[in-house]
Amino acid sequence: MGILDGRKGLILGVANKRSVAWACARALQREGMELALTFANDRLEGNVRELAGELGVKTVLPCDVTRDADMDALVDSVGTAFGQLDCIVHAVAFAKREELTGNYIDTSKEGYQLAQEVSVFSLPAVSRRMVPLMEGREGSIVTLTYIGSERVIPNYNVMGVAKAALEASVRYLAHDLGPRGIRVNAISAGPIRTLSAAGIEGFATILDTIAARAPLRRNITAEEVGDTCAFLAGPHSRGITGSTIYVDAGYHIMGL
Ligand code: NAP
């Protein structure tokens, strides 16, 4: 018996085996949740289908979150496949590589808008569409954030500003959806080597800093994020909403 037996979940953001979304998928499935995965574009489809096959996941759907038509079709497909939905894991973010180096002051308007659209607006946009499937089922929405939202991490720039907006969105969505029985939380993960992380200049230095300074004196694993995601998706976190939970080996408490 898993803590998520009989529940249905939608996971956005699997690109490959290193993706945080993939670790979340494995943890939720281990606890008994039936899953649907999305892929962002044709380039990723084969990879995501192959990974889905490893977990026996049959529902694999396209969703580029910059396309309204994709999100509209997604809710129809999830409704057809599951009839209802208990959980959304939103592990999607994007900024142009040139915005993740140098100074924030040089951020382009287009780069700012793109980061906000993909990394922030997609959360309310997908949630609003899925609410009719989630109402009255003790649903849970989980997104992924990073401490660059509240402290300056050199080069994180436009994505730090996007993550600040994402965390504020979590609070407003929690307020909107609480009366409808749906909780909304964020996991603030420590740095993990993934495709997206590779685009941040100086990422190796960030990893070394955490290993040296975090209370646990190590970096975290994607599996640790997945386990926290399973907790937030399930009944043991039923009193928690609107929160940012840190899975960062304790780094966020440090002043120096
Ligand atoms: P990842 O494997 O590259 O996952 C990011 C996903 O977002 C990819 O599947 C990517 O697809 C997708 N995406 C980008 N643009 C999209 C769009 N328009 N529509 C739909 N999907 C789109 O990297 P990750 O590190 O696991 O990132 C997952 C989440 O964790 C992100 O929110 C990230 O900010 C957060 N996070 C990561 C870390 C870390 O250190 N890795 C730490 C804290 C928080 P493409 O590959 O096609 O772009």
Side-chain angles (χ1 to χ4, degrees):
M1 280 279 286
I3 54 170
L4 303 174
D5 275 348
R7 298 195 186 211
K8 323 269 188 198
L10 172 67
I11 301 199
L12 297 99
V14 176
N16 57 37
K17 271 189 189 268
R18 287 177 179 260
S19 295
V20 173
W22 177 240
C24 293
R26 278 183 297 157
L28 296 180
Q29 207 239 15
R30 182 193 68 217
E31 295 299 336
M33 185 174 275
E34 188 179 350
L35 297 177
L37 304 184
T38 67
F39 56 91
N41 49 51
D42 296 347
R43 179 175 51 81
L44 293 180
E45 179 174 1
N47 208 12
V48 176
R49 285 197 186 281
E50 201 177 311
L51 288 172
E54 283 183 24
L55 290 186
V57 171
K58 295 188 184 67
T59 310
V60 181
L61 303 162
C63 186
D64 176 341
V65 296
T66 64
R67 295 164 59 109
D68 284 354
D70 278 17
M71 290 188 284
D72 291 342
L74 185 65
V75 68
D76 291 342
S77 303
V78 170
T80 305
F82 290 162
Q84 73 240 347
L85 190 67
D86 300 286
C87 177
I88 302 171
V89 177
H90 173 273
V92 169
F94 186 78
K96 292 182 183 183
R97 191 174 266 262
E98 61 263 33
E99 308 286 5
L100 298 173
T101 183
N103 293 321
Y104 174 66
I105 200 169
D106 295 321
T107 304
S108 69
K109 185 174 174 183
E110 190 206 343
Y112 184 93
Q113 287 173 337
L114 183 61
Q116 288 280 333
E117 181 180 13
V118 175
S119 318
V120 186
F121 185 69
S122 58
L123 180 68
V126 169
S127 300
R128 178 170 56 76
R129 287 171 170 82
M130 295 295 165
V131 159
L133 295 175
M134 297 182 79
E135 249 173 330
R137 298 186 53 79
E138 299 181 350
S140 172
I141 298 172
V142 181
T143 189
L144 270 300
T145 187
Y146 180 55
I147 200 170
S149 62
E150 49 190 301
R151 316 247 185 102
V152 173
I153 306 290
N155 300 313
Y156 199 59
N157 298 346
V158 72
M159 191 52 73
V161 175
K163 291 302 191 190
L166 181 72
E167 290 168 23
S169 293
V170 164
R171 291 186 283 273
Y172 279 92
L173 287 171
H175 176 259
D176 288 349
L177 299 179
R180 300 165 87 166
I182 301 168
R183 298 182 293 111
V184 188
N185 292 289
I187 297 172
S188 184
I192 301 167
R193 275 190 196 281
T194 62
L195 202 61
S196 293
I200 303 162
E201 192 178 296
F203 188 73
T205 309
I206 297 177
L207 287 172
D208 290 346
T209 304
I210 304 299
R213 302 212 187 135
L216 295 181
R217 300 291 194 278
R218 65 170 175 84
N219 279 285
I220 60 141
T221 64
E223 287 66 34
E224 288 167 334
V225 177
D227 286 344
T228 301
C229 183
F231 163 71
L232 287 174
H236 295 144
S237 61
R238 62 192 174 279
I240 302 175
T241 193
S243 293
T244 297
I245 310 281
Y246 295 88
V247 181
D248 68 346
Y251 183 72
H252 68 283
I253 67 168
M254 301 304 294
L256 199 63

